[in-house]
Amino acid sequence: MRSAGSWCTMPERSEPLRLDADLTACAALVERADPERFRAAMAAPPSARAVLFPLYALNVEVSRAPWVTQEPMIAEMRLQWWRDALEQIAKGETPRQHEVITPLSRVLTPDMAARLDAMVAVRRWDIYSEPFEDEAHFERYIDETSGTLFWAASCSLGAAEEPVVRDFGYGVGVANWLRAIPELEARGRVPLLDGRAEAVAALADRALERMQRARARRGAVSRQAAPALLAGWRADAVLRQARRDPARVGAGALGSSEARARLALIARAATGRW
């Protein structure tokens, strides 16, 4: 369990980050595979985008690695490749040349690269068809896949308190998970420990509570780190819908209109009130 007082500050850099060919490739990858995070990054200041795009590109590559093959061994090897690359950064070694790893090595501290290993490792669940072992297993999966990504992004931009960021990241992670359930079930996975309507509503409610708890401590996330949390711009609407009408989860009917969602992102980017 991480300390309630766990803070980080943006790592020192000898020169300003700039948009080069690798960063452009990262941005293009995110735009194609994760358009909602792409929009959130584009709503952030330009200096923040140079940090966010490599992290979001890493998330794209890691999240899809278990799904591009039906051979578990090959999927394991794909995940291990990313773990090995992060280990190089964590050890302070010159990483392999790669359009994602190269810019990532410029924005991650060794400690954060080591933390991100857990985000990759937990994706092994995606390779196989076994359900989650218990609630703790599910909670850990959401925390590592979503909370760790939010923590790495915010910590790489500025000062923030880890439990606050992870509370917010958990809420966003549950929202994204609920939206993915129809596809996960179609692929033969068992995404929920309890699929009854009341259990789904309770899960959405817990996620909303954690997001509200994070927002009650907005001061624990600096102005510089706040753009990392813009990626949660659709989570509130999704969770409220799932709490109110759990049947929408299985029907794949979560989410507001694109126009309304984009207005919400614009408002949050303008006010900084994630």
Side-chain angles (χ1 to χ4, degrees):
M1 189 70 178
R2 296 173 179 88
S3 166
S6 181
W7 281 76
C8 76
T9 55
M10 183 173 63
E12 293 184 5
R13 301 187 175 101
S14 57
E15 58 182 30
L17 293 167
R18 58 187 180 276
L19 197 66
D20 58 15
D22 287 334
L23 276 170
T24 301
C26 286
L29 173 61
V30 176
E31 184 177 19
R32 290 192 306 271
D34 193 349
E36 290 184 8
R37 279 199 174 90
F38 176 80
R39 291 172 193 163
M42 290 302 293
S47 59
R49 296 173 205 164
V51 173
L52 296 175
F53 279 134
L55 282 164
Y56 293 167
L58 171 69
N59 185 60
V60 166
E61 295 284 19
V62 168
S63 63
R64 71 184 181 183
W67 303 101
V68 294
T69 176
Q70 294 183 346
E71 295 295 330
M73 183 62 71
I74 296 176
E76 292 269 15
M77 291 171 63
R78 287 178 178 273
L79 288 179
Q80 188 61 49
W81 189 92
W82 291 101
R83 297 184 73 182
D84 291 344
L86 287 169
E87 184 180 19
Q88 285 184 301
I89 299 173
K91 290 181 176 179
E93 300 172 357
T94 301
R96 60 198 69 182
Q97 288 292 117
H98 186 272
E99 64 182 18
V100 175
I101 293 300
T102 300
L104 198 63
S105 69
R106 296 198 293 261
V107 302
L108 289 180
T109 63
D111 176 67
M112 190 53 70
R115 290 278 198 98
L116 282 168
D117 178 74
M119 185 184 81
V120 183
V122 78
R123 287 285 182 180
R124 293 184 66 249
W125 183 90
D126 298 342
I127 298 174
Y128 304 100
S129 58
E130 288 80 6
F132 290 106
E133 298 168 5
D134 51 28
E135 186 174 349
H137 185 194
F138 174 77
E139 296 279 308
R140 184 169 67 255
Y141 180 93
I142 296 296
D143 182 52
E144 294 296 357
T145 56
S146 182
T148 296
L149 179 62
F150 273 95
W151 175 234
S154 59
C155 189
S156 298
L157 289 175
E161 191 169 353
E162 184 170 9
V164 176
V165 173
R166 284 189 178 273
D167 273 343
F168 188 82
Y170 176 86
V172 178
V174 169
N176 291 339
W177 190 251
L178 292 176
R179 292 171 68 192
I181 280 176
E183 182 177 355
L184 289 167
E185 290 180 337
R187 289 173 177 258
R189 301 304 190 268
V190 183
L192 294 172
L193 289 162
D194 188 342
R196 293 174 303 150
E198 56 267 35
V200 172
L203 174 61
D205 191 55
R206 289 198 304 274
L208 279 167
E209 286 178 356
R210 288 188 63 172
M211 292 186 76
Q212 290 164 1
R213 184 168 69 185
R215 288 184 173 121
R217 300 193 60 205
R218 276 196 177 92
V221 178
S222 67
R223 179 179 57 81
Q224 292 79 8
L229 304 190
L230 289 174
W233 58 294
R234 302 195 80 159
D236 295 83
V238 167
L239 292 172
R240 290 194 182 98
Q241 287 174 350
R243 181 176 62 181
R244 183 173 60 250
D245 185 5
R248 297 182 70 148
V249 174
L254 292 175
S256 56
S257 69
E258 282 297 314
R260 179 177 293 183
R262 290 191 185 195
L263 284 174
L265 174 59
I266 291 169
R268 292 182 186 190
T271 63
R273 294 181 65 81
W274 41 268

